[in-house]
Amino acid sequence: QPAFTAHGVFDIELELIRRSGQTFWAHMRGRAVVPGDVSQGTIWTIEDVTAAREHREQLAYTASHDALTGLYNRAAFERVLDAAAAVAAREPFCTLFIDLDRFKLVNDNGGHAAGDALLRDLAAILSQHVRKTDVVARLGGDEFAVMLPSCPEDQARRVADTLCAEVLMYELIWQGARFSVGASVGLVMVGAGFTSAAEVLRAADSACYQAKKRGRSRVE
């Protein structure tokens, strides 16, 4: 009724249920037989758009997620980070930049398939040790990042230490060979001094560089 009153038509996608109990997505359109007078009856069409909707969702997922690990990709992460940085003055948060140590040796000695397997495993490990509200991304190559909303610096440090330790404990057994890596982690507390994703990542990358410079497999 509100749609008819405001626009004269009803046009929206809704999840409906068939008599069999199966749910489906429908594009529903309705209009009055006599424009402006629904008391004279309405005409409806219902089109099953489940497949089209799934295709749209798959395209959106592919555009925002890394194909190898299933994590957010760099572009999607930067969008989330930009939005968070814009309000960081009143809603501070922390960000981690993670660069794997000795990853090149895995590719050189085990091949790219071994490197891909290791990246997939470590992506799962990173996701398992953060909150559901945190955002984990693969920025490219062996670089990852984590955004920790509403997370004080001391808590973020504990998370970073945990991730660093979990990566260090991980071992990939590949065609009879054993591979392990470390994680150099840069941590930045994002507040009023930051206004964009680029600034946040620059600061976190700088902290990560210090971690590598001071011995690797550590948090700075």
Side-chain angles (χ1 to χ4, degrees):
Q1 184 67 42
F4 283 135
T5 302
H7 310 293
V9 296
F10 182 94
D11 190 338
I12 199 169
E13 287 185 5
L14 294 171
E15 191 172 26
L16 302 182
I17 185 167
R18 301 183 190 278
R19 184 176 297 176
S20 65
Q22 179 190 24
T23 58
F24 71 104
W25 281 94
H27 185 183
M28 292 187 64
R29 302 178 183 89
R31 66 175 180 83
V33 174
V34 178
D37 185 4
V38 295
S39 67
Q40 299 301 308
T42 54
I43 300 173
W44 295 87
T45 61
I46 303 175
E47 178 187 5
D48 187 339
V49 293
T50 304
R53 189 181 178 93
E54 289 175 350
H55 181 63
R56 288 201 309 268
E57 290 175 350
Q58 182 59 43
L59 288 176
Y61 181 89
T62 301
S64 60
H65 288 74
D66 175 57
L68 177 65
T69 63
L71 301 178
Y72 269 46
N73 60 26
R74 188 182 191 102
F77 185 75
E78 288 183 348
R79 287 194 295 270
V80 173
L81 203 55
D82 263 327
V87 296
R90 64 174 185 273
E91 298 178 21
F93 62 95
C94 287
T95 298
L96 309 178
F97 187 98
I98 304 168
D99 192 0
L100 300 183
D101 305 320
R102 306 184 305 277
F103 178 71
K104 186 175 183 297
L105 295 176
V106 181
N107 276 339
D108 289 348
N109 298 322
H112 288 285
D116 287 351
L118 184 142
L119 291 173
R120 282 193 296 268
D121 288 350
L122 290 184
I125 288 172
L126 296 179
S127 299
Q128 288 166 6
H129 289 86
V130 297
R131 302 167 300 180
K132 292 187 181 299
T133 54
D134 298 332
V135 181
V136 185
R138 181 189 177 206
L139 302 184
D142 61 343
E143 295 178 343
F144 296 84
V146 184
M147 192 184 84
L148 306 165
S150 305
C151 184
E153 188 173 355
D154 58 343
Q155 182 180 338
R157 178 61 192 243
R158 289 194 294 272
V159 172
D161 285 336
T162 296
L163 296 181
C164 192
E166 289 293 331
V167 170
L168 200 56
M169 286 191 296
Y170 168 82
E171 186 177 61
L172 173 70
I173 300 175
W174 187 265
Q175 296 179 347
R178 295 176 180 269
F179 299 99
S180 61
V181 296
S184 294
V185 184
L187 186 160
V188 59
M189 181 71 191
V190 185
F194 296 87
T195 59
S196 70
E199 292 176 355
V200 175
L201 288 176
R202 194 178 305 119
D205 184 39
S206 178
C208 181
Y209 175 77
Q210 291 300 317
K212 284 190 174 292
K213 188 177 178 181
R214 293 174 181 172
R216 303 188 177 190
S217 294
R218 58 184 289 133
V219 181
E220 291 289 343

